[in-house]
Amino acid sequence: GAGVSQSPSNKVTEKGKDVELRCDPISGHTALYWYRQRLGQGLEFLIYFQGNSAPDKSGLPSDRFSAERTGESVSTLTIQRTQQEDSAVYLCASSLGLGRAPRSGEQFFGPGTRLTVL
Amino acid sequence: QQQVKQSPQSLIVQKGGIPIINCAYENTAFDYFPWYQQFPGKGPALLIAIRPDVSEKKEGRFTISFNKSAKQFSLHIMDSQPGDSATYFCAASRAGGTSYGKLTFGQGTILTVHP
């Protein structure tokens, strides 16, 4: 497909379990971002990957959260020992990345994964 | 210093009206200001964006007004239509450096346009 895809679209888990969320960015996009959107709130930045550079993890809320990206392709966001406050929609976005004018800042979002922790 | 404050939280207008959504930022290093539109169950989609070297940008029925000295920017939707009913988010980021592309979002405005 031409857009950013995410899976699963919905995930219900029990408190304390680990979850993995997947993001497939647009082909050729070197930058990939994860955001969290709580109900009725704006998006919170979590982590940013740019090519082979070290990721910017400054938005991760705790050490239970981690993310990986293989090259310039798929990324996985992992939440360990989930808590009820982790319930949110997790959104992935990709962009052309640094130095790719004219609209290099434009981020294309996937539909998100709705995570519910019971 | 990273906050972006957005108002109002919700807005109801009649078809043809001109809703205005306002945002204010604190970090003077921000130099890219996009607006995103989000429909229920979908990810946000870029609507229009502005950089601080201009005070206004217009694309179709959507206009961004930017006031650098006041650190404020706003979205105007001309001749609004029921199909414009969505949640709108302002955002800000730095276009360069290690913070490149990391968007700081406002809280969102739920716009309802009545027929």
Side-chain angles (χ1 to χ4, degrees):
Chain A
V4 176
S5 61
Q6 293 185 245
S7 60
S9 56
N10 281 284
K11 177 71 176 178
V12 180
T13 190
E14 294 179 347
K15 178 181 173 181
K17 296 288 181 72
D18 298 351
V19 296
E20 281 191 356
L21 312 180
R22 177 187 169 107
C23 172
D24 284 85
I26 294 172
S27 177
H29 281 193
T30 62
L32 186 146
Y33 311 81
W34 283 97
Y35 295 88
R36 177 170 69 178
Q37 185 175 27
R38 289 192 164 122
L39 186 64
Q41 300 293 312
L43 284 72
E44 303 170 69
F45 167 79
L46 296 177
I47 188 168
Y48 157 51
F49 296 90
Q50 170 60 55
N52 294 318
S53 301
D56 178 348
K57 304 180 182 180
S58 60
L60 295 178
S62 77
D63 58 8
R64 297 186 295 105
F65 288 73
S66 62
E68 293 183 347
R69 186 182 187 194
T70 304
E72 294 181 356
S73 60
V74 172
S75 176
T76 302
L77 177 69
T78 301
I79 308 174
Q80 296 179 311
R81 305 181 302 281
T82 52
Q83 304 295 313
Q84 289 183 332
E85 63 262 27
D86 299 334
S87 296
V89 175
Y90 289 83
L91 289 156
C92 173
S94 69
S95 73
L96 285 170
L98 284 170
R100 304 286 293 275
R103 299 187 75 180
S104 59
E106 180 173 1
Q107 295 183 23
F108 295 82
F109 282 82
T113 293
R114 181 174 297 278
L115 175 66
T116 303
V117 181
L118 301 176
Chain B
Q1 195 174 13
Q2 294 295 319
Q3 282 188 325
V4 175
K5 296 181 180 179
Q6 183 173 345
S7 63
Q9 284 187 309
S10 62
L11 189 54
I12 300 173
V13 299
Q14 295 294 317
K15 178 182 174 182
I18 306 176
I20 300 173
I21 305 171
N22 300 298
C23 284
Y25 64 98
E26 299 173 357
N27 187 345
T28 55
F30 287 148
D31 54 6
Y32 174 68
F33 303 90
W35 284 89
Y36 280 80
Q37 180 188 55
Q38 185 178 30
F39 293 104
K42 305 290 187 182
L46 180 66
L47 194 60
I48 185 172
I50 197 168
R51 298 195 186 273
D53 51 343
V54 296
S55 60
E56 186 175 282
K57 183 174 181 180
K58 183 176 181 180
E59 289 187 0
R61 296 184 294 108
F62 302 92
T63 299
I64 298 179
S65 297
F66 185 81
N67 186 330
K68 187 174 182 178
S69 61
K71 293 187 288 185
Q72 295 176 347
F73 57 110
S74 59
L75 176 70
H76 301 231
I77 305 176
M78 309 302 287
D79 186 27
S80 59
Q81 302 295 313
D84 296 330
S85 297
T87 300
Y88 292 81
F89 293 97
C90 62
S93 74
R94 295 179 61 183
T98 57
S99 300
Y100 178 83
K102 187 167 73 176
L103 289 168
T104 300
F105 281 85
Q107 294 303 296
T109 296
I110 301 172
L111 172 65
T112 303
V113 181
H114 287 312

